[in-house]
Amino acid sequence: MRDHFEIRDGDVAGRIGELDVPRAGVTVETPALMPVVNPNIITVSPARLESEFGAQILITNSYIIHKNDDLREEALDVGLHEMLGFDGAIVTDSGSFQLAEYGEISVTTREILQFQHDVGTDIGTPVDIPTPPDVSREQAERELAVTEEALRDAEDVDTGEMLVNAPVQGSTYPDLREEAGRAAYATELDVFPVGAVVPLMNAYRYDDMVDAVAGAKRGLGRDAPVHLFGAGHPMMFALAAAMGCDLFDSAAYALYARDGRYLTVRGTEHLEDLEYLPCSCPICAEHSPEDLRAAAGEEQERLLAEHNLHVSFEELRRVKQAIRTGNLIELVEERARSHPAMLDGYRALLDHADQLEREDPVSKGSFFALSAESARRPEVRRHHGRLDRLEASGEVLLTQGGTPKGDRFDAAWRVVPPFGPFPRALSETYPLTAQVPDRTDRAAYEAAAEGVARLAEANPDTVFVLAHDGWPETALARVPDGVELEPLDGVSPDGTSADDADETP
Amino acid sequence: MRDHFEIRDGDVAGRIGELDVPRAGVTVETPALMPVVNPNIITVSPARLESEFGAQILITNSYIIHKNDDLREEALDVGLHEMLGFDGAIVTDSGSFQLAEYGEISVTTREILQFQHDVGTDIGTPVDIPTPPDVSREQAERELAVTEEALRDAEDVDTGEMLVNAPVQGSTYPDLREEAGRAAYATELDVFPVGAVVPLMNAYRYDDMVDAVAGAKRGLGRDAPVHLFGAGHPMMFALAAAMGCDLFDSAAYALYARDGRYLTVRGTEHLEDLEYLPCSCPICAEHSPEDLRAAAGEEQERLLAEHNLHVSFEELRRVKQAIRTGNLIELVEERARSHPAMLDGYRALLDHADQLEREDPVSKGSFFALSAESARRPEVRRHHGRLDRLEASGEVLLTQGGTPKGDRFDAAWRVVPPFGPFPRALSETYPLTAQVPDRTDRAAYEAAAEGVARLAEANPDTVFVLAHDGWPETALARVPDGVELEPLDGVSPDGTSADDADETP
């Protein structure tokens, strides 16, 4: 039990949490975005990050400070909070990134954790090995063993009230991520960064990222606060939050600004390509694209960085509101349409629907069916699981609408794609209150047919009649032979009306 | 030829246009949002609409002004521009809405157009009949005849430089909408409001709205500036623009604010339900939900109205940028995931892919395949049309990846779902430069198979071999029998690998 992290609300595997950071004396509400502050180049001052953007937590790099005589002396002398001018929680990285980039660094886990403690870090980090994607399994295992040794070293350091990160590595091997998550969770350490996913994000491999995170999450306890290390693009916050990530860090806001790039929740634009500013943040409300292009180097960089922060914190608030409302998947559905790689990420997420289902609340706002993917949502899986246990006896009509004339049944159940059948008594319960499109897609019909099959299997002695509005062949093929089919009025018996309205060309 | 409207850029059937409004001496860039100003209740002053929100055009109601002695006198005395304090273009409605609501009004088209002219209106409106949805065809035809008479009356009025609206009615009969569009276009009148779609929008019948607008657009010339009358929710701007609507009007910003409602591009929220503000406009950057809830009645109304305007103009800029970039459909794809009814709207839009295809530019940015719906996009239709005319002779390999071992072909074409086959020489041309997901959906495979079939039909003497990465059964069923199938490496011959990765449960 991690008593410094409390989950207040949840949706899918995402959650609103409270991370107590005792050394800073603050409670950080998660999901939280930690702006990355480079102590050598301050684009937006930490004081403004706090007052104008609402940042409760930031991250900086203890190794850069340790390596620079002036910064080190200042940090040891006045402490990081005074040096940066920030009252919130300060996380420090250890130099693992530099290790991965340059092959070696000059400090050990014990040394850097002690240094982090000495400069007043609130959440410190050992020296783990960020194993890149696609390495041999042998390399991934060998490096994971070194990371796990670093975690043990970290446990031995007396860090007082400072919380300590326990990074989860394992490259692109989901089972190693799971094992690493389990090992990290078994330590005394406090916060769990899923590491080395930046190369996946840079290569738009969001599906592989999802698989890596899902692996780590399986190993970690539900009460473990998880940091998706390097996730700074607002486009992916909803997806990452839905998987159960609680902390993000953004260097992107500043790095992209330096390069003339403008973040949106739909991707990244080059300032030079914009004829209109698709945003109404205080920067965009006050400036035209021409203004921004005409701004001098540092001024332009600051303006873009502020826009980038605004759009990032805005998306974070949107994600939190979606968790409160219980429509986080609907937000993920939307973000999945920002890039084909994000769609891959969402489709990969749905591969883990059973895993998500174990955390997803049983009841929430309103289920919106928004795509063929919606038929694979955890709520549909859960309903199908329930159909295995529902009893129906005698002659039961399963109907999408009216009752076929002249027939008499012991019971009449409703059928709604993508869920399938349910007794009318459940009509007002989540997710069966769903809003679904009139133009049903094939995946939804097929999922409904799957529901019919599950119910029929669970009640082998019951006679079922399915009155349908013209299901496509692929759905009817999933209805067991024993179920009698009755087309509803206005529908031809071969189901062509639904085929015609289908999503296929 | 309407020389007061010029199209500068286009995407799908949407366009960036310039509407010259001679009486106001301004050129309005379209798509444009016209805030509705109620002369009795000014929530945000027209001067601020212009200076802070960039409104170039607004709409008010001449009938309300005409009916009120004080307003009438003032308008006749100083003119609308001075009365409202607005230098941009002013459109006035005629009282048709009141006619529809209350059954009768006290003015004729001739009278109200003369009045509009006298008070300085820049774009006036005759008294048409906004026939509601779902009336009998006979009523729709009868009322349309009255509307068309009003248009003829309007032509007879000497309106000087004032432009005049020619509303397009026809209820939910797309063929009547088309006929009405054709009749309106044949007049001397200037701007073309598609009328009486508000009941459809209020009932979330976006698919029926799309069909009505598509009908009107078929009747209207491409150079006709089209106003989607009553479309004020930013959620629908992208869809409406993609259909070729140029003007929107928003009363929603003020009406919703009065009711404590907060607009977003994903729908409408009640202020009382928000724990976070999913926006970073100047209002939301300065206030918390608690602040807004605590604000006094009129102050809260003004703050919400300003937020609602910010989010609306922001979406309008996003739509314009999407038209410039050539990714308007991608934005529609995203907005289609805000509500099942919006998905119905998008699916209905794709029913008109052939109509859209005639206006959609041949080359633009990058095609993103983002859903099963993407396979029905106009570009896919166009590519299939081209396959009917492409010549291929001898033995031709159509391949998604490598070349099956030991085989020799006269040519090797690439195959990319959802497009299907194309010669390598076309690889670098739009839309074949598409970004597609790795996890291909069934609709994309089926569309690719359709492309193979079109090519094979056009070249009956050619031997085709299709090397595929494991297409699902439903796609293989569309490949003509004469085409030889070769599974690519790592794929089982029955195509199960792709079935497993499919969107179905």
Side-chain angles (χ1 to χ4, degrees), chain B residues 242-468:
Chain B
M243 291 190 288
C245 297
D246 307 298
L247 296 164
F248 310 114
D249 60 281
S250 175
Y253 79 95
L255 294 177
Y256 283 45
R258 205 160 300 154
D259 195 27
R261 285 186 289 171
Y262 178 101
L263 297 178
T264 83
V265 294
R266 309 175 60 226
T268 309
E269 304 282 353
H270 282 274
L271 178 57
E272 68 221 48
D273 297 332
L274 289 176
E275 296 193 44
Y276 308 89
L277 297 177
C279 174
S280 58
C281 79
I283 302 303
C284 297
E286 283 294 314
H287 297 83
S288 68
E290 294 76 29
D291 288 350
L292 293 180
R293 278 192 284 269
E298 277 196 17
E299 172 71 357
Q300 184 187 87
E301 187 177 327
R302 183 185 62 76
L303 291 169
L304 282 178
E306 290 189 24
H307 158 79
N308 290 344
L309 283 168
H310 276 298
V311 76
S312 300
F313 279 101
E314 171 184 339
E315 180 69 354
L316 197 74
R317 290 193 297 275
R318 195 176 284 121
V319 165
K320 289 190 201 180
Q321 182 62 42
I323 295 173
R324 295 284 192 195
T325 307
N327 60 12
L328 182 57
I329 290 213
E330 280 80 358
L331 182 59
V332 174
E333 285 261 12
E334 214 173 313
R335 294 294 171 257
R337 318 300 156 175
S338 58
H339 192 281
M342 289 290 298
L343 179 58
D344 276 329
Y346 178 43
R347 287 176 173 168
L349 182 76
L350 294 170
D351 288 345
H352 303 285
D354 286 335
Q355 180 176 337
L356 301 174
E357 192 272 326
R358 290 192 285 277
E359 297 196 26
D360 196 33
V362 171
S363 182
K364 39 186 169 169
S366 188
F367 180 112
F368 279 5
L370 297 172
S371 68
E373 285 76 31
S374 296
R376 296 177 58 203
R377 284 178 51 168
E379 295 96 331
V380 177
R381 313 280 291 201
R382 181 181 292 151
H383 181 66
H384 288 178
R386 185 155 55 169
L387 286 170
D388 294 338
R389 302 184 305 272
L390 283 178
E391 277 178 39
S393 56
E395 270 196 66
V396 177
L397 174 69
L398 311 176
T399 178
Q400 276 193 282
T403 309
K405 281 190 201 111
D407 284 322
R408 303 186 69 84
F409 296 94
D410 295 303
W413 290 27
R414 288 185 59 202
V415 176
V416 174
F419 302 101
F422 52 88
R424 279 168 200 273
L426 293 179
S427 292
E428 297 304 314
T429 62
Y430 186 87
L432 305 169
T433 49
Q435 302 265 342
V436 299
D438 288 336
R439 292 161 186 253
T440 310
D441 51 73
R442 190 168 39 164
Y445 281 121
E446 289 165 3
E450 179 71 21
V452 171
R454 300 281 283 261
L455 180 68
E457 261 169 54
N459 295 275
D461 301 327
T462 306
V463 175
F464 290 105
V465 175
L466 173 64
H468 67 92

Side-chain angles (χ1 to χ4, degrees), chain B residues 63 65 69 76 104 208 445:
Chain B
Y63 184 69
I65 295 168
D69 291 343
L76 287 168
E104 61 175 334
D208 292 329
Y445 281 121

Side-chain angles (χ1 to χ4, degrees), chain A residues 16 29 52 207 211 265-266 269 273-282 284-285 310-311 314 317-318 320-322 324-325 327 330-331 333-341 343-344 347-348 351 368-373 375-376 381 435-443 446-447 474 478 502-505, chain B residues 16 29 52 207 211 265-266 269 273-282 284-285 310-311 314 317-318 320-322 324-325 327 330-331 333-341 343-344 347-348 351 368-373 375-376 381 435-443 446-447 474 478 502-505:
Chain A
I16 306 277
E29 188 182 67
E52 290 179 35
D207 48 357
D211 289 340
V265 292
R266 309 175 59 229
E269 304 282 353
D273 297 333
L274 289 175
E275 296 193 44
Y276 309 89
L277 297 178
C279 174
S280 58
C281 79
C284 297
H310 276 299
V311 75
E314 171 184 339
R317 289 193 298 272
R318 195 176 283 120
K320 288 190 204 180
Q321 182 63 44
R324 293 285 191 195
T325 306
N327 61 10
E330 280 80 358
L331 183 59
E333 284 262 12
E334 213 173 314
R335 295 291 171 260
R337 317 302 157 173
S338 58
H339 192 282
L343 179 58
D344 277 329
R347 288 176 173 169
D351 289 345
F368 279 6
L370 298 171
S371 69
E373 285 75 31
R376 295 177 60 205
R381 312 280 290 201
Q435 302 266 342
V436 300
D438 288 335
R439 294 161 185 253
T440 311
D441 51 71
R442 193 169 32 168
E446 290 165 4
T474 52
R478 294 175 191 219
D502 198 10
E503 84 271 24
T504 58
Chain B
I16 304 281
E29 187 180 69
E52 290 178 35
D207 47 358
D211 288 342
V265 294
R266 309 175 60 226
E269 304 282 353
D273 297 332
L274 289 176
E275 296 193 44
Y276 308 89
L277 297 177
C279 174
S280 58
C281 79
C284 297
H310 276 298
V311 76
E314 171 184 339
R317 290 193 297 275
R318 195 176 284 121
K320 289 190 201 180
Q321 182 62 42
R324 295 284 192 195
T325 307
N327 60 12
E330 280 80 358
L331 182 59
E333 285 261 12
E334 214 173 313
R335 294 294 171 257
R337 318 300 156 175
S338 58
H339 192 281
L343 179 58
D344 276 329
R347 287 176 173 168
D351 288 345
F368 279 5
L370 297 172
S371 68
E373 285 76 31
R376 296 177 58 203
R381 313 280 291 201
Q435 302 265 342
V436 299
D438 288 336
R439 292 161 186 253
T440 310
D441 51 73
R442 190 168 39 164
E446 289 165 3
T474 51
R478 293 173 192 223
D502 197 10
E503 82 270 26
T504 59

